[in-house]
Amino acid sequence: MTDRPGRAERRRILRRRNPFASVSVGDPLDAAADDRFPDVPSINEAAFAAIRDLIAQKADRPWERFAVMVLGEVGEGKTHLMARLRRRSREADPPFSFAYIQPIEDPERPFGYLLREWVANLCIPNDRKLDDRKGGSAPIDALLGAVFREVIEAEVRDRPPRRVEALIREMRADPAAIFRHPVGDGAYLEMEKRVRRRIRPHLPRISDDFWTALMGLRHPHKRYAAAAWLQGALLRPADAERLGLPPDPDAAPAHGEDAARRRLTALSDLMTRYRQISVLCFDRLENLETPEQVRAFGRSMEFLVDGLPAALPVVCFRGFQWEETLRHKLNQHVVTRLEANRFQLEGCTPEQAAAVVRSRLATALDLDDDEADLYPFDPDALRSAFSGGMESPREVVIQANRMLQEILGETAEPAGPVDPEAALMAAFATERQAAAADFDRHPPDRGRLGRALRLYLTLHPSADMSVRAGERQVDFFCDATLDGRTVPMAFIIDIEAHHLSVGAAFDRGIAHLEGHDEAGAVYIRDDRRPIPETWRATRQRQRCFQRLGGRAVDLDRESAVDWYALTRLHYRVTAGEIDWVDADGEPAPVPPDRWRAFVRSAIADGRIAGFADLDRAVMAAFAGAGEPARPASITAK
C-alpha cells in the first residue's frame, strides 16, 4: 500500500507533472509505454475480445482465410488496441508474434517490403523496451527452437536420458530454451542434419537455402547475414560463403520479388507446422498517396490472406478514409476479405472517461489504480463534462487537461506546444529517440530513405527543385535552379549488397552525367551496406562516376536515424496525430503548410542535422556541374 499524498501535496505534484499534458500514447512496439499510463480495458473491449478470439481461431485453424479491419478516427484508440495486441502476444496460449508495419513506399516491391518487415519484427523480442534493448527470446528463435524440439523428441522418444527429458520439458514452455543450454557445436550440427532428414520431406516448398539461412541464426557470427538473407537482401559473396549459400546470380528487382514470395511462403509453411502465427498490424495508411501504392497494398493483402496461413493481417483505417478513398480503389476480393471482420472503435462512456482520468492521476501520483480517487476533480463536474455523448479517449484527456488548468491555475504545466513548430520539434525528437534506440527495426530501406529525400528536395531551403519520379536505379530526377542557373540532377539511393546491382546504379549515374553538358548526380548509401574494396569492377565504376562530377553521400548511423525519424514523423503528421494548441486554446492537428515550413527551416538551420552531408554534396554537384570533381570514396567497413 502506497502512502497516499494529501490534497495539498497532490496539487503540488500535479502542477509539476501534469498527466494530461500529452495525448500521445507512444510507440505501440515499445514495452516501456505499457508502464506510462495504466490501460482502461473496458474501452473498445468488444473489438479487442473479438480480435483476440479470431487470433485464437487462426492459431487453431490456420488454413482458414480471413483478415481484420479496424476503423477509428484519430484518438479513438487504434494505437492502444495495437499495444494491447502486442501484450496479448506474450500471454496467449499458444503465443503469437506481433509485427507493426508502416505504409509501403515502393509499389514495385510490395512482397520484398512485406518480407523484410515481417522477418525484422520476428528477429526482435516483442517485450523489449526501446530504452534498454533487452527482452526475452525473439519469435524467430522460438520457431527455430520448435524445429529442434521436434527432432529431439523424435530421436529420444522411447527412453530419453534424464537431462534431455528435462530440456524437452523446458522447451515445451519456451522452445528457445535450447539456446541457453551448453550444447556443443557438434551436437547442433548433427541436429541440423537430422532436421533436414526428418522435417524437410513434410515441407517441400522450403528450399535448402532457406534451411541453411534459418540454421545460421543460432551462430552469432552468422546471425546478421542469415537474418538479412531471410529478409530478402542480396548478400555480399563473403557473407554468402560464410553462411554456406551460393551467391545470388541475378540482382534484378523482378527476381527479388519472386524470391520474396518464395521466402514468405516458406516462412508461413514452417510457422504453420508449429502453430506459430503472426499478427501483422498495418497502420497510418493515410500515407498511401498514389494509385500504384494502393494497388501494391491490395496485392499484399490478397497474398497474405490467400497464400500465407501463418499471417493474420489487422488493418487500421480512419473511417472516412476507408469509405471515401480506399474502398473504391481496391479490388472487390480484397474489400470483401477486409470487411468480413470489420470493427468500428467507439468513444468512452461517462464511466470509462472517469476511469481514464483516474488512471492518469494514479500514474502521476504514484498510486495503484484502485487506490486513486478523482481529486482534485469534482466527480459531479466530470460526470457532467462527459455526459453529452461518446467522447474519444483523446478528447477525454484534452477536456481533463482543460479542467485541471482551471483547477490549478496558471502554474500548471501547459496543455501542449502553443506553436506548430514546437510541437513538431518535440515529436521529431521523440521519433529520433525511438529510431536510435531500436535501430534494428530500421534495416536499410530505399523507400523510407526516398521519402525523406523527397521531403528534402521539395522543401529545399535555398534552391528550387522541380522534382520528377525516377526510374529503376534512379529515385528522383530534378531540375535544380539557384541564382538563375538550372542544372538537371539525378539522385540515387542504393542499399543493395550485390556487386551487379551496385554497379548498375553507378552506370545509371554515369549515363546521366554524360547525357548532359551540365549535370549533377548524387549517390546515397546506408553505411550498413558498405562497398567492399575487393569489388574492383564496381570501384572502377564508382571512380568514373566521381571523375565526371558525381557526389557520394555515406549515411552513418546518426544521419540515417534522422532520415528514418523524419519519415516516421511524416507518417504521423499525415495521419493527424501531431497536435498543437491553437489561438483559442484548443488542440488541433498540425496543418500541412506548417509541416512543410518546419521541414524547410529545421533542415536549413541544422536542427535536423542528418541532411548536412547531403546538402553539401548537392551544392557541390550543382557548383561543379560540367567540371570534373575531385574523387571521393565510400570506404568499406
Side-chain angles (χ1 to χ4, degrees):
M1 182 80 173
T2 306
D3 291 336
R4 295 164 60 91
R7 293 193 167 191
E9 178 65 8
R10 287 192 184 200
R11 286 174 173 267
R12 188 187 66 78
I13 293 172
L14 294 173
R15 286 191 181 98
R16 188 180 68 250
R17 189 170 60 189
N18 179 357
F20 307 101
S22 172
V23 295
S24 173
V25 295
D27 190 325
L29 291 173
D30 185 4
D34 298 344
D35 305 326
R36 197 164 295 133
F37 297 114
D39 212 5
V40 179
S42 63
I43 298 176
N44 292 313
E45 176 61 25
F48 174 75
I51 296 171
R52 179 195 61 205
D53 293 344
L54 287 170
I55 293 170
Q57 178 178 332
K58 185 70 171 174
D60 287 339
R61 298 186 290 280
W63 57 87
E64 293 188 359
R65 301 172 179 177
F66 56 86
V68 172
M69 181 169 68
V70 177
L71 298 181
E73 299 306 319
V74 174
E76 287 191 334
K78 297 190 295 297
T79 303
H80 265 300
L81 182 66
M82 285 183 284
R84 289 188 71 183
L85 291 175
R86 175 185 52 75
R87 291 195 296 274
R88 176 68 185 170
S89 70
R90 307 192 303 268
E91 303 161 357
D93 184 18
F96 59 88
S97 55
F98 176 90
Y100 180 67
I101 300 179
Q102 307 234 36
I104 186 170
E105 289 284 357
D106 184 355
E108 297 299 319
R109 299 189 180 186
F111 303 114
Y113 178 75
L114 182 61
L115 175 67
R116 185 179 69 243
E117 292 297 292
W118 191 4
V119 175
N121 279 273
L122 287 174
C123 289
I124 297 172
N126 281 336
D127 61 346
R128 193 177 81 182
K129 298 183 179 182
L130 300 188
D131 58 356
D132 65 11
R133 298 183 58 80
K134 295 179 181 178
S137 57
I140 197 77
D141 296 318
L143 178 61
L144 184 55
V147 173
F148 280 128
R149 192 189 82 190
E150 179 180 356
V151 172
I152 293 171
E153 288 181 329
E155 294 289 331
V156 298
R157 179 176 298 142
D158 296 330
R159 296 168 59 185
R162 183 173 301 174
R163 185 170 65 88
V164 175
E165 189 174 18
L167 174 60
I168 291 173
R169 282 198 304 270
E170 189 175 350
M171 291 178 67
R172 285 173 181 161
D174 176 12
I178 188 173
F179 305 117
R180 297 192 292 271
H181 283 258
V183 181
D185 278 347
Y188 271 124
L189 291 173
E190 180 60 30
M191 280 193 288
E192 288 176 10
K193 293 177 184 177
R194 298 186 185 194
V195 163
R196 294 174 189 259
R197 186 170 63 245
R198 282 186 172 274
I199 300 176
R200 172 80 193 277
H202 301 288
L203 299 168
R205 295 195 293 184
I206 300 183
S207 68
D208 281 336
D209 289 350
F210 188 95
W211 282 115
T212 298
L214 186 71
M215 297 302 166
L217 290 171
R218 75 166 187 85
H219 301 276
H221 65 288
K222 296 180 181 180
R223 187 176 178 93
Y224 180 83
W229 188 91
L230 291 170
Q231 291 175 39
L234 295 167
L235 298 183
R236 294 181 298 177
D239 290 332
E241 183 179 0
R242 186 180 302 114
L243 274 176
L245 292 171
D248 200 311
D250 188 352
H255 169 80
E257 281 295 274
D258 290 341
R261 288 174 66 102
R262 291 193 296 271
R263 290 175 200 180
L264 284 165
T265 299
L267 178 62
S268 177
D269 286 355
L270 187 64
M271 293 180 69
T272 301
R273 179 174 180 84
Y274 297 103
R275 290 188 67 210
Q276 295 188 17
I277 68 163
S278 275
V279 173
L280 276 57
C281 287
F282 294 80
D283 193 21
R284 295 171 181 160
L285 297 174
E286 296 86 354
N287 289 275
L288 297 176
E289 297 174 346
T290 68
E292 292 79 14
Q293 287 176 326
V294 173
R295 286 194 292 270
F297 170 75
R299 293 200 305 274
S300 298
M301 286 299 104
E302 193 168 357
F303 184 58
L304 273 173
V305 175
D306 293 342
L308 303 179
L312 174 59
V314 176
V315 182
C316 298
F317 295 105
R318 291 163 68 176
F320 177 83
Q321 176 211 20
W322 170 250
E323 295 293 347
E324 300 296 326
T325 304
L326 290 175
R327 191 178 190 277
H328 306 293
K329 294 181 179 180
L330 295 169
N331 72 51
Q332 191 57 44
H333 178 71
V334 173
V335 171
T336 300
R337 292 288 199 218
L338 292 176
E339 291 191 329
N341 296 293
R342 168 176 169 162
F343 300 96
Q344 177 71 55
L345 300 187
E346 299 177 346
C348 300
T349 65
E351 292 75 17
Q352 290 169 339
V356 170
V357 174
R358 182 180 293 108
S359 71
R360 293 208 169 207
L361 287 172
T363 301
L365 300 170
D366 196 24
L367 296 171
D368 294 334
D369 202 29
D370 56 1
E371 294 180 304
D373 55 31
L374 291 170
Y375 185 83
F377 293 93
D378 178 270
D380 292 334
L382 271 181
R383 194 175 301 110
S384 175
F386 301 124
S387 62
M390 301 286 281
E391 302 278 4
S392 71
R394 183 192 191 97
E395 284 297 324
V396 168
V397 174
I398 290 171
Q399 286 197 49
N401 186 75
R402 192 179 300 120
M403 295 173 71
L404 186 63
Q405 295 286 317
E406 295 174 358
I407 292 168
L408 299 181
E410 296 180 359
T411 54
E413 185 179 335
V418 294
D419 177 79
E421 186 152 316
L424 290 166
M425 197 65 233
F428 177 77
T430 298
E431 293 299 336
R432 193 186 192 290
Q433 181 181 16
D438 206 25
F439 202 46
D440 292 344
R441 285 196 191 269
H442 297 275
D445 185 330
R446 184 181 179 187
R448 291 184 190 169
L449 292 173
R451 169 69 70 176
L453 177 60
R454 177 183 280 275
L455 287 168
Y456 164 84
L457 292 174
T458 56
L459 301 171
H460 195 277
S462 57
D464 179 17
M465 302 281 192
S466 177
V467 180
R468 307 187 304 280
E471 57 189 36
R472 191 161 173 182
Q473 273 88 23
V474 178
D475 291 81
F476 301 109
F477 292 108
C478 76
D479 294 326
T481 302
L482 181 65
D483 297 332
R485 179 180 175 224
T486 299
V487 173
M489 300 191 70
F491 291 85
I492 299 166
I493 298 173
D494 185 16
I495 62 167
E496 301 297 347
H498 195 284
H499 65 95
L500 292 178
S501 179
V502 177
F506 281 124
D507 284 344
R508 188 62 189 86
I510 291 168
H512 174 78
L513 292 167
E514 291 181 333
H516 301 82
D517 292 334
E518 286 190 338
V522 179
Y523 175 90
I524 302 162
R525 190 169 184 86
D526 187 318
D527 76 353
R528 287 174 288 178
R529 299 277 175 85
I531 300 176
E533 294 289 351
T534 54
W535 291 3
R536 293 187 177 88
T538 305
R539 286 286 184 175
Q540 186 175 1
R541 288 188 176 97
Q542 178 188 352
R543 287 191 290 271
C544 179
F545 171 77
Q546 292 170 327
R547 282 196 301 269
L548 290 169
R551 302 287 170 161
V553 176
D554 187 12
L555 290 180
D556 60 16
R557 181 187 176 104
E558 290 300 306
S559 296
V561 164
D562 274 4
W563 287 48
Y564 288 118
L566 187 65
T567 295
R568 286 167 58 114
L569 182 55
H570 173 81
Y571 293 153
R572 292 185 63 192
V573 172
T574 304
E577 297 177 9
I578 307 299
D579 281 345
W580 68 295
V581 179
D582 64 20
D584 298 323
E586 298 292 330
V590 169
D593 62 324
R594 301 303 294 269
W595 162 240
R596 292 190 294 269
F598 166 77
V599 174
R600 183 178 290 111
S601 65
I603 290 176
D605 63 21
R607 284 176 294 160
I608 300 180
F611 291 85
D613 288 345
L614 173 65
D615 201 55
R616 283 190 288 270
V618 169
M619 292 297 102
F622 184 91
E627 300 177 6
R630 179 183 298 176
S633 66
I634 299 177
T635 57
K637 298 179 183 178

